[in-house]
Amino acid sequence: MEDGSFGDGGGDGEDELPGEDPVPAPPSKPTRITPCMIAESAGIVSADGARLPADDVATQVVKLTRLRLDRRNIADMDGLECCEGATHVFLQHNRIDKIDGVMFLKALQFLSLDHNQIETVEGLSRLPALNYLGIAHNRIEHAEPGDFPASLRFLDLYGNPCSLALDYRQELTSALTGLIELDQIELERYASFDTGEEEEGGEEGG
């Protein structure tokens, strides 16, 4: 014991033996994406606040374009197929270890997967409208340019092992020619262009 004492009537009536650590609480059971979960996150209820029938829930859910499913202990991405028209999906701070179930989201523009347990980038190159991808603080060892769609403008891989590679930025920015920001840092090709415009404007104004 660090403080050199034990058994001093600590409040729960049970004394801990010296050298024994408290038994950690078991991890909460992971959840799955369901139409009911999506409906709940979107605040879909009937006019009087009562739960809608299943058929009505499905009808409302399929119309959603923004799915806020962050911080819900989700372990996998199966279940998104009921929202084919989704343009923005928020799945940060979950327990997802694999990117799956997004290939049919052809209208998807914004995807946040920060703070999960993802090890591999897959299934994203087929998303023709994806503009923003946040996948920071995961476990990705390698990120190949071909893993990402050409439509990507903003990419955040900060906090992944792959971002520590010496040629990491050069390789991605050279291949993804439409990229504006990588890891929330504006690319030099755009920063220099903006600076040049400001300097030119300043000379004319002088």
Side-chain angles (χ1 to χ4, degrees), residues 128-196:
L130 191 62
N131 184 274
Y132 174 92
L133 174 62
I135 196 169
H137 300 287
N138 277 275
R139 303 173 180 177
I140 300 168
E141 296 279 351
H142 305 285
E144 302 294 335
D147 297 333
F148 306 99
S151 59
L152 210 56
R153 298 294 178 265
F154 302 89
L155 173 61
D156 192 356
L157 281 159
Y158 181 80
N160 285 283
C162 65
S163 67
L164 301 177
L166 294 178
D167 59 349
Y168 158 74
R169 291 187 66 86
Q170 178 63 35
E171 184 175 354
L172 287 178
T173 57
S174 296
L176 300 172
T177 56
L179 208 59
I180 295 174
E181 285 186 7
L182 176 58
D183 299 345
Q184 300 186 32
I185 300 175
E186 187 177 32
L187 301 190
E188 291 183 3
R189 60 189 177 218
Y190 290 98
S192 59
F193 177 77
D194 292 341
T195 302

Side-chain angles (χ1 to χ4, degrees), residues 15 19 21 29-30 33-34 42 73 75 80 88-89 92 110 145 153 157 164 184 203 205:
D15 296 336
D21 295 326
K29 185 178 180 180
I33 299 174
T34 64
N73 205 32
L80 292 174
H88 293 65
V89 176
Q92 66 270 27
F110 181 105
R153 298 294 178 265
L157 281 159
L164 301 177
Q184 300 186 32
E203 291 176 359

